[in-house]
Amino acid sequence: MENLSQDAKYTLQFINQTQRNIFLTGKAGTGKTTLLREIIKTTHKNVVVVAPTGIAALNAGGVTIHSMFQLPFAGFIPDHSTPQFSDFVKLETKQTLARHFKMSGLKKAVIRNMELLIIDEVSMLRADVLDAIDFMMQSVRKKKIAFGGVQVLFIGDLMQLPPVIRDEEWKILRQYYSGKFFFHSHVMQLNPPLYIELSKIFRQTDDVFISVLNNLRNNQITQEDLKTLNQYVQPNFDLKENKGYITLTTHNAKADTINAKALEELNGKLVQYRPEIIGDFPEKIFPVEENLQLKVGAQIMFVKNDLSLEKRFFNGKMGIIKSLSEEEILVHFPEENKNIMVDKYEWQNIRYSVNPNTKEIEEEVLGTFVHYPIKLAWAITVHKSQGLTFDKAALDVSQVFLPGQAYVALSRLRSLAGLVLLSPLQMNGISNDSDVMDYAANKANEEILAQSLQLETQKFLLDYLKSTFDWNDLAQEWRNHQFSYHEKGENSIKSKHFIWAKKQTEVIWNMLEPAKKFTIQLDKLFSAEAIDYAFVEERINAAYYYFFTPIDNLVDEILWKLEEIKRIKKGKAFFEELSVLEELQIKAVLRLMKAKLLVKTIASRETISRENLTSEDIKNYKIRKLETIQKQFKELNISLIEDDANIERYTKKIKTKKEPKKSTVQLTYELWLEKNTIKEIASMRKLSAQTIGGHIAKLIEDGTIAISAVLPDDKIEELAQAFKGYKEESLTPLKEKSGDQFTWDELKWFKASLNSD
């Protein structure tokens, strides 16, 4: 938090303290991705991250828009008409989406429990797709307000990659939309987000370069700016003689040709590396080339930041291959005169689900893709360079750039000192979209942000508290459930439980009137010119203790009834009806518990964060309830002869504990402490044994695990003899010399022990 700019801190506060939709933008290098990770790590809200493409979603740690919201790959007309299909254009409307595209129960649960939706790389998001998202969220959440009441954070730089709409589609969609960008959508026109721009640039420090980039971005590039840039034109620049430069070009084919030719011209053996793919990881979202082909002397770049404390490389850092073997890639950084051994990186294909106990949204790993986070780097397209940082680059701008491409290409560089233009930069073709420029005028200044934050925080707190005590929808669900008994007939399984249902329905309905009176009291407290948060906390605590017992007892009643019904054959439908009520009832209780902590945090002038708005009681509420009720039920019904194995006939296997987000090595270590073997850990984590072996090496190197815990004494002694006098950075010569005496893992583990503190 300390390293964040003021704009970034405001964004974090708006996310945690308000319900306001936000568009977060910023020039290249202002830290949008860093802030995204900070929000995910610290927000108390149930968050889902989506992006327009598979690769963008993977990089953001989320899922694609189309998979999350069950959207077809077609244009969306924002009305209920019946679209006219043709061979060239596919269109959907609200009517066809509602009728044909059925969403799974898992996704519906995620959308119902979602509190914050983050859409990354929003420059690529089409207006019609955003309206389709809005329609699906309103439909699933049964709330006819923007995005069904979910807060949305849009992240992206509109000066970069634009949305893609085919001409045939646009001829029809232009009848409904004035433009293609997300802010042209109907939902955004009616509900404009707060526009926050990160202004502190971390990538560049050269004032002249920053000025040129700003002018280019704002369509204000001058002849003086062009003169500054064109000083770096070197049409005869020899890339072979000048190592460390990457060529930025506009077409994939050209970049691929440059890389392939440069690799072919190198002497030496071609070594190929393939990924370890475990579980479900579709080819279309592979983050790097499946077949990595390298030779000694090849120019490469890293495509991820170093996750270790040493921070030895960053996304876009260039290097030269020094040595290669089956199990090792050694990279040399000429300017620093240092070498590093490349570790493999793990990419995860995830899906979201809802923890049945805490109602928190969690990530489930469907598959992993483990590969070296490097690629050939004599050339790359401007499109694929987005997000990368280069010290040296040669720009091939002989062909006209699309709007934004010139800005993306130039802004990859840290400074003008590393720039080479292979041809002069022309004025034509580099201007940005006029709609984007007009929209950029909406950005909020610091004074507006400060005022808005105070007002929006008060509004958020009041709305949160009022909705916490608004049990009208819950009461209606109970009433609907009560009335459903009449539909089944007197001899149905349900009919015997009618009196029970009527009694519980009366309990919740009797709570509505005092709850309504309390929300009126809240309105008065928050209408004061200076809100007395200490008094608000006092009133909330009083209301909490008044309402908690009856609302908590309803959870006991449902869980007890579920224990009964799951022992009855042919009771599945009844069990599922009660399960829906149970989910809503527990959600209401957890919300009440969280509201109490929220007010306490505000009254204490502490930061609203995930840490302050959770507790052991909240995390373990349902688990403890279930344990108590199941124990009591068995004691009172000890004569039941039904086998325990059969009583789970209607229940799904559920996880009982949410794991916090931890490093991949830490997760391996925790499983290691539980006495699991490497093979067992690999199976549990959807990773290969080789990858887990790499984690063990890291744990040995940092002193967390002793080499003696992994290898027997006689093997350690043999390795000590083999390593005597061995000075090579690479283990390849030692492996070749020892043959099958030692495995690669054993060599890596012992080397790690030598480097251990």
Side-chain angles (χ1 to χ4, degrees):
M1 183 86 175
E2 298 80 35
N3 297 326
L4 297 178
S5 66
Q6 185 57 52
D7 295 324
K9 289 177 182 176
Y10 272 129
T11 305
L12 204 52
Q13 287 174 302
F14 269 104
I15 292 300
N16 282 326
Q17 295 172 209
T18 81
Q19 195 59 19
R20 187 70 188 269
N21 293 341
I22 295 166
F23 169 46
L24 174 69
T25 189
K27 304 176 183 75
T30 49
K32 295 184 292 295
T33 302
T34 302
L35 180 55
L36 167 62
R37 295 198 178 107
E38 183 69 20
I39 290 167
I40 293 168
K41 188 171 80 175
T42 61
T43 185
H44 61 92
K45 296 180 179 179
N46 268 345
V47 62
V48 167
V49 181
V50 297
T53 67
I55 297 297
L58 201 63
N59 289 334
V63 298
T64 65
I65 285 168
H66 286 79
S67 67
M68 182 68 244
F69 299 104
Q70 205 70 44
L71 299 177
F73 288 96
F76 176 73
I77 295 174
D79 62 22
H80 288 87
S81 62
T82 303
Q84 298 298 312
F85 287 95
S86 74
D87 294 336
F88 305 104
V89 182
K90 276 190 173 181
L91 296 168
E92 302 291 341
T93 66
K94 292 180 179 181
Q95 184 181 30
T96 59
L97 277 187
R99 194 169 64 228
H100 297 306
F101 294 94
K102 302 302 178 189
M103 194 175 282
S104 70
L106 180 73
K107 284 178 182 168
K108 281 183 179 176
V110 170
I111 292 172
R112 282 198 300 265
N113 286 276
M114 192 189 299
E115 294 169 315
L116 172 64
L117 173 66
I118 298 177
I119 306 180
D120 197 23
E121 298 291 4
V122 76
S123 70
M124 295 187 280
L125 177 61
R126 293 164 39 156
D128 61 320
V129 174
L130 185 56
D131 277 336
I133 293 171
D134 174 51
F135 171 71
M136 294 300 268
M137 292 180 76
Q138 288 193 36
S139 301
V140 173
R141 292 172 65 86
K142 298 178 181 175
K143 288 184 180 178
K144 296 300 175 185
I145 54 176
F147 305 108
V150 172
Q151 184 180 26
V152 185
L153 171 63
F154 303 93
I155 302 180
D157 184 354
L158 296 176
M159 307 299 178
Q160 300 197 20
L161 301 175
V164 177
I165 303 183
R166 291 184 300 117
D167 290 341
E168 296 88 345
E169 277 184 302
W170 184 238
K171 282 176 185 174
I172 299 169
L173 290 174
R174 69 192 306 171
Q175 299 170 40
Y176 301 89
Y177 294 101
S178 60
K180 304 174 183 181
F181 287 92
F182 85 100
F183 56 81
H184 290 119
S185 65
H186 292 199
V187 65
M188 285 291 93
Q189 294 290 310
L190 294 171
N191 305 275
L194 184 66
Y195 189 131
I196 300 180
E197 181 171 333
L198 300 181
S199 54
K200 184 178 179 183
I201 297 174
F202 295 95
R203 184 176 291 147
Q204 291 96 13
T205 55
D206 176 353
D207 289 340
V208 173
F209 192 26
I210 289 172
S211 173
V212 171
L213 289 174
N214 284 344
N215 288 345
L216 182 62
R217 177 186 176 86
N218 297 328
N219 278 357
Q220 295 170 346
I221 192 160
T222 64
Q223 288 298 329
E224 193 62 33
D225 293 330
L226 283 175
K227 188 177 174 183
T228 298
L229 291 172
N230 286 332
Q231 291 178 62
Y232 298 91
V233 174
Q234 297 186 57
N236 300 317
F237 187 74
D238 191 338
L239 288 159
K240 288 182 187 175
E241 293 298 317
N242 294 277
K243 304 293 184 189
Y245 279 83
I246 186 167
T247 301
L248 267 66
T249 185
T250 50
H251 291 84
N252 275 312
K254 191 163 188 178
D256 292 343
T257 300
I258 292 171
N259 284 325
K261 187 180 178 189
L263 186 66
E264 188 182 343
E265 288 175 354
L266 287 174
N267 296 321
K269 180 184 172 188
L270 184 74
V271 183
Q272 301 188 58
Y273 300 90
R274 299 189 73 82
E276 304 156 24
I277 302 170
I278 310 290
D280 178 16
F281 205 104
E283 186 177 346
K284 64 185 177 184
I285 63 166
F286 284 1
V288 289
E289 290 289 336
E290 182 178 10
N291 186 16
L292 175 63
Q293 300 188 7
L294 298 172
K295 287 181 182 178
V296 171
Q299 183 165 287
I300 59 92
M301 72 173 173
F302 287 83
V303 296
K304 299 300 291 185
N305 294 328
D306 185 6
L307 297 176
S308 72
L309 295 173
E310 290 82 17
K311 306 297 178 195
R312 302 163 299 166
F313 54 85
F314 54 81
N315 194 358
K317 187 172 177 68
M318 311 276 285
I320 304 293
I321 298 294
K322 186 174 183 184
S323 71
L324 296 168
S325 72
E326 177 191 347
E327 287 282 331
E328 287 184 329
I329 298 176
L330 189 66
V331 171
H332 177 63
F333 299 129
E335 293 183 358
E336 300 154 60
N337 193 27
K338 74 174 185 182
N339 304 320
I340 69 163
M341 201 65 71
V342 184
D343 295 321
K344 289 184 177 179
Y345 190 90
E346 297 156 29
W347 286 268
Q348 296 179 338
N349 178 30
I350 68 161
R351 75 174 172 194
Y352 291 105
S353 60
V354 176
N355 184 304
N357 298 322
T358 64
K359 307 308 173 192
E360 291 179 327
I361 292 177
E362 299 179 343
E363 295 173 10
E364 178 188 349
V365 178
L366 300 177
T368 53
F369 179 99
V370 182
H371 212 342
Y372 292 105
I374 58 176
K375 65 190 297 181
L376 294 176
W378 286 284
I380 190 172
T381 62
V382 175
H383 184 103
K384 290 180 180 174
S385 75
Q386 198 160 338
L388 302 179
T389 301
F390 301 127
D391 290 317
K392 299 176 181 178
L395 272 60
D396 176 17
V397 293
S398 55
Q399 288 149 329
V400 176
F401 277 9
L402 292 170
Q405 278 192 314
Y407 173 71
V408 173
L410 286 163
S411 62
R412 301 306 96 204
L413 278 157
R414 286 190 190 277
S415 73
L416 285 169
L419 171 65
V420 169
L421 290 172
L422 298 179
S423 61
L425 196 63
Q426 303 296 324
M427 279 292 281
N428 64 322
I430 61 171
S431 63
N432 288 305
D433 191 293
S434 59
D435 282 359
V436 170
M437 301 308 300
D438 291 342
Y439 186 62
N442 294 315
K443 63 185 176 188
N445 60 35
E446 194 166 317
E447 186 181 348
I448 291 172
L449 289 176
Q451 291 172 354
S452 183
L453 178 61
Q454 185 179 0
L455 294 172
E456 295 281 352
T457 299
Q458 291 175 8
K459 183 178 182 299
F460 167 70
L461 185 58
L462 177 59
D463 289 348
Y464 192 96
L465 295 175
K466 286 175 70 175
S467 64
T468 298
F469 292 93
D470 181 0
W471 295 306
N472 283 288
D473 289 345
L474 179 60
Q476 190 58 51
E477 288 292 339
W478 272 105
R479 175 168 281 187
N480 294 343
H481 178 71
Q482 179 190 332
F483 287 153
S484 72
Y485 284 71
H486 302 303
E487 300 165 6
K488 300 292 181 180
E490 292 183 8
N491 297 320
S492 70
I493 291 171
K494 280 179 72 172
S495 63
K496 301 170 188 174
H497 305 274
F498 172 73
I499 300 299
W500 171 85
K502 187 172 182 291
K503 181 182 174 184
Q504 311 318 316
T505 303
E506 286 172 357
V507 170
I508 190 73
W509 276 85
N510 288 337
M511 290 168 58
L512 297 186
E513 189 57 33
K516 184 180 178 182
K517 288 178 180 176
F518 181 64
T519 57
I520 292 170
Q521 189 181 141
L522 285 173
D523 278 326
K524 288 179 182 175
L525 291 174
F526 276 82
S527 65
E529 192 172 329
I531 300 169
D532 185 347
Y533 284 113
F535 186 59
V536 171
E537 182 183 17
E538 184 184 312
R539 298 312 305 141
I540 288 293
N541 287 343
Y544 177 88
Y545 291 115
Y546 179 84
F547 288 111
F548 187 80
T549 299
I551 203 168
D552 178 60
N553 286 343
L554 282 169
V555 173
D556 289 336
E557 290 287 346
I558 299 179
L559 292 177
W560 187 277
K561 189 59 64 177
L562 284 166
E563 282 297 312
E564 280 186 67
I565 303 306
K566 70 184 181 183
R567 288 173 167 80
I568 301 171
K569 290 179 180 177
K570 297 182 181 179
K572 183 178 181 181
F574 188 20
F575 183 90
E576 288 178 348
E577 286 177 43
L578 288 171
S579 295
V580 171
L581 270 178
E582 175 250 347
E583 180 179 343
L584 294 170
Q585 193 66 48
I586 288 181
K587 199 171 170 182
V589 174
L590 295 178
R591 174 100 175 186
L592 186 60
M593 295 168 82
K594 187 174 174 180
K596 185 167 176 278
L597 290 177
L598 176 62
V599 175
K600 179 186 175 187
T601 302
I602 292 283
S604 305
R605 298 179 181 275
E606 295 177 12
T607 303
I608 298 176
S609 65
R610 179 182 300 163
E611 188 180 355
N612 288 335
L613 297 193
T614 192
S615 66
E616 287 304 309
D617 287 341
I618 289 175
K619 288 178 185 174
N620 298 309
Y621 176 78
K622 183 178 175 182
I623 296 167
R624 288 171 179 166
K625 284 274 182 196
L626 278 172
E627 287 172 351
T628 302
I629 282 168
Q630 287 171 353
K631 183 181 177 185
Q632 291 173 350
F633 190 93
K634 286 184 178 180
E635 286 171 356
L636 289 171
N637 297 276
I638 199 151
S639 60
L640 286 175
I641 58 171
E642 182 93 42
D643 190 271
D644 278 353
N646 292 330
I647 66 172
E648 303 301 326
R649 57 166 66 88
Y650 308 136
T651 58
K652 294 176 182 176
K653 190 175 180 182
I654 57 175
K655 293 183 283 184
T656 57
K657 183 181 178 187
K658 180 185 178 183
E659 286 294 336
K661 197 81 170 171
K662 297 171 183 170
S663 75
T664 185
V665 175
Q666 179 64 22
L667 289 170
T668 292
Y669 178 55
E670 290 177 6
L671 291 170
W672 171 266
L673 289 177
E674 294 171 8
K675 309 298 183 188
N676 293 295
T677 65
I678 287 176
K679 188 175 179 182
E680 288 167 341
I681 295 171
S683 176
M684 285 186 267
R685 296 213 49 214
K686 288 191 172 70
L687 292 167
S688 69
Q690 183 187 24
T691 300
I692 301 302
H695 294 173
I696 298 296
K698 284 189 174 70
L699 290 164
I700 291 170
E701 186 167 359
D702 66 22
T704 306
I705 292 178
I707 185 75
S708 56
V710 184
L711 295 172
D713 291 343
D714 57 341
K715 182 63 75 172
I716 294 171
E717 182 56 38
E718 288 176 29
L719 283 160
Q721 290 299 319
F723 270 84
K724 240 179 208 174
Y726 191 74
K727 304 290 185 187
E728 298 283 336
E729 286 181 278
S730 170
L731 290 170
T732 302
L734 189 57
K735 175 63 177 160
E736 289 172 351
K737 180 181 175 183
S738 61
D740 294 333
Q741 183 182 2
F742 307 116
T743 66
W744 275 104
D745 273 344
E746 288 168 347
L747 290 170
K748 288 175 182 176
W749 294 341
F750 190 80
K751 183 182 179 184
S753 73
L754 297 177
N755 297 331
S756 177
D757 295 330

